[in-house]
Amino acid sequence: MGKGNSFLSEEQKMFLMDYVKTKKLEAFNKVQTETSTGYTGFESASSEDLQLLIDEWVLIDYIDNGFVNDKTPCECGRPLRYQYIVKNNKTDEVKRLGINHFEEHISLKKHVVKQIKKEFDLIEKEVTEISERTNRGWSIDEEINFIPDGYKFNNGHIKKQLEIGLALSTKQVNHLRKEVNQKIALENKATKAFPREAPKVDLFNYEESNNTSSASSLTDVQREKIRDLYSRGVKSPRVISELLIENQIAAGDRYSTGKPKIFPLVCVFLKNIEGVRI
């Protein structure tokens, strides 16, 4: 977080610091997951879920001192303001690094480090935008004309942000607008009454919506594994699909988008278990 945020309350400052930490953990582990698996599309997965798919280094913590502090050094001894704490999934070795030493100390490839830095920069810019909008007296009414009374937010960060008087970033507004419009459209559709109409597979955004017949249902073993993963806190249907494949419980067939063909079945099963966000 940058300087000049004296207009923010302590609660708002703490929220934004936690937001940066959460988003950086997710970004680092998303890039590492995509590098490890060779596939993309893990945007909705949590950092903890992503760690299950990474072969080597995962980001487990992040510290922002607010100033360069010799109590939080890099592995090379250089004092840091921002310290990234990584763990090797194979050896459990833990290292504390500055962002410029990912390549040197944990042998990340240059293009991976470049992508991680790009993701981190976007997060910092988003938080700066939130602060600047808050200072200008931004209001959600300026961006979204109608939010139903008692609206249940899918995104807990956005709900909390609004409750404590923080503005939303452009990215968050776009996400919320899409979410609200989808819910209103679904409610309107429900009132026109086709309760038994089967959901169309294109809700999962597949090009190959007419090719899902290759797997008509989940096996008992697959269902049991999904229940086990869900009970242990793995919520992302994409991560669960990848783990089923990795453990040879499901076939590795994929669509041209890279998503496993078992993915829509996992989504439906998770939704039936307990309102999992897809």
Side-chain angles (χ1 to χ4, degrees), residues 7 46 70 258 267 273:
F7 57 88
S46 70
D70 57 11
C267 287
I273 289 177

Side-chain angles (χ1 to χ4, degrees), residues 253-266:
D253 299 340
R254 295 178 183 272
Y255 295 102
S256 61
T257 57
K259 284 188 177 179
K261 289 192 175 182
I262 198 171
F263 176 77
L265 298 173
V266 172

Side-chain angles (χ1 to χ4, degrees), residues 127-164:
V127 170
T128 297
E129 182 187 14
I130 291 170
S131 296
E132 291 175 347
R133 285 182 163 203
T134 301
N135 195 30
R136 292 199 304 266
W138 176 94
S139 170
I140 186 65
D141 296 332
E142 300 172 8
E143 305 273 2
I144 301 177
N145 294 327
F146 174 69
I147 298 179
D149 292 336
Y151 181 79
K152 293 182 179 179
F153 291 83
N154 284 343
N155 188 307
H157 275 295
I158 288 178
K159 181 176 184 292
K160 179 66 174 177
Q161 216 165 303
L162 291 172
E163 286 176 348
I164 64 175

Side-chain angles (χ1 to χ4, degrees), residues 97-154:
L97 309 171
I99 192 171
N100 293 321
H101 287 181
F102 287 163
E103 186 178 351
E104 178 181 347
H105 293 300
I106 57 176
S107 301
L108 294 189
K109 294 181 179 178
K110 285 184 179 180
H111 74 277
V112 175
V113 175
K114 183 178 180 181
Q115 184 60 36
I116 290 171
K117 287 182 177 180
K118 179 181 177 182
E119 297 280 349
F120 286 2
D121 285 344
L122 290 174
I123 293 165
E124 295 288 353
K125 288 177 181 177
E126 182 182 14
V127 170
T128 297
E129 182 187 14
I130 291 170
S131 296
E132 291 175 347
R133 285 182 163 203
T134 301
N135 195 30
R136 292 199 304 266
W138 176 94
S139 170
I140 186 65
D141 296 332
E142 300 172 8
E143 305 273 2
I144 301 177
N145 294 327
F146 174 69
I147 298 179
D149 292 336
Y151 181 79
K152 293 182 179 179
F153 291 83
N154 284 343

Side-chain angles (χ1 to χ4, degrees), residues 4 6 18 32 71 76 83 85 105 170 192 195 209 249-250 268:
S6 57
D18 182 66
Q32 282 290 80
K71 293 183 179 180
C76 61
Q83 187 188 65
I85 304 170
H105 293 300
T170 301
K192 294 179 181 177
S209 58
I249 298 173
V268 172

Side-chain angles (χ1 to χ4, degrees), residues 23-267:
K23 290 300 177 183
K24 284 194 174 184
L25 263 63
E26 289 174 356
F28 181 99
N29 292 331
K30 179 177 74 74
V31 173
Q32 282 290 80
T33 300
E34 292 173 353
T35 301
S36 181
T37 64
Y39 299 104
T40 60
F42 295 94
E43 286 77 9
S44 63
S46 70
S47 172
E48 291 78 10
D49 285 1
L50 292 172
Q51 289 179 26
L52 298 171
L53 295 173
I54 300 173
D55 288 338
E56 293 191 356
W57 294 100
V58 298
L59 184 61
I60 59 172
D61 205 356
Y62 158 76
I63 297 171
D64 177 2
N65 293 296
F67 58 92
V68 176
N69 191 336
D70 57 11
K71 293 183 179 180
T72 53
C74 180
E75 289 293 314
C76 61
R78 179 182 178 182
L80 301 169
R81 171 180 172 173
Y82 305 104
Q83 187 188 65
Y84 298 89
I85 304 170
V86 297
K87 184 184 79 170
N88 189 295
N89 262 347
K90 293 179 179 177
T91 66
D92 286 336
E93 180 183 9
V94 174
K95 291 190 176 186
R96 299 169 182 268
L97 309 171
I99 192 171
N100 293 321
H101 287 181
F102 287 163
E103 186 178 351
E104 178 181 347
H105 293 300
I106 57 176
S107 301
L108 294 189
K109 294 181 179 178
K110 285 184 179 180
H111 74 277
V112 175
V113 175
K114 183 178 180 181
Q115 184 60 36
I116 290 171
K117 287 182 177 180
K118 179 181 177 182
E119 297 280 349
F120 286 2
D121 285 344
L122 290 174
I123 293 165
E124 295 288 353
K125 288 177 181 177
E126 182 182 14
V127 170
T128 297
E129 182 187 14
I130 291 170
S131 296
E132 291 175 347
R133 285 182 163 203
T134 301
N135 195 30
R136 292 199 304 266
W138 176 94
S139 170
I140 186 65
D141 296 332
E142 300 172 8
E143 305 273 2
I144 301 177
N145 294 327
F146 174 69
I147 298 179
D149 292 336
Y151 181 79
K152 293 182 179 179
F153 291 83
N154 284 343
N155 188 307
H157 275 295
I158 288 178
K159 181 176 184 292
K160 179 66 174 177
Q161 216 165 303
L162 291 172
E163 286 176 348
I164 64 175
L166 280 171
L168 301 183
S169 66
T170 301
K171 179 180 178 180
Q172 289 174 316
V173 168
N174 290 338
H175 175 88
L176 181 58
R177 184 184 291 115
K178 181 179 178 181
E179 179 186 299
V180 170
N181 289 341
Q182 285 178 339
K183 285 195 175 184
I184 292 173
L186 286 172
E187 288 173 3
N188 290 340
K189 184 177 180 182
T191 61
K192 294 179 181 177
F194 290 102
R196 297 192 179 184
E197 183 180 358
K200 296 179 181 179
V201 178
D202 62 3
L203 289 174
F204 300 111
N205 297 319
Y206 284 115
E207 306 167 6
E208 306 85 347
S209 58
N210 61 339
N211 291 330
T212 57
S213 60
S214 60
S216 58
S217 62
L218 296 169
T219 67
D220 289 342
V221 173
Q222 289 168 343
R223 289 169 183 265
E224 187 60 34
K225 184 63 176 177
I226 294 170
R227 287 193 190 96
D228 175 58
L229 290 168
Y230 179 75
S231 69
R232 290 193 282 124
V234 184
K235 307 299 184 184
S236 166
R238 179 64 191 277
V239 172
I240 289 175
S241 299
E242 296 291 348
L243 287 171
L244 291 175
I245 293 171
E246 185 177 301
N247 290 287
Q248 299 183 343
I249 298 173
D253 299 340
R254 295 178 183 272
Y255 295 102
S256 61
T257 57
K259 284 188 177 179
K261 289 192 175 182
I262 198 171
F263 176 77
L265 298 173
V266 172
C267 287

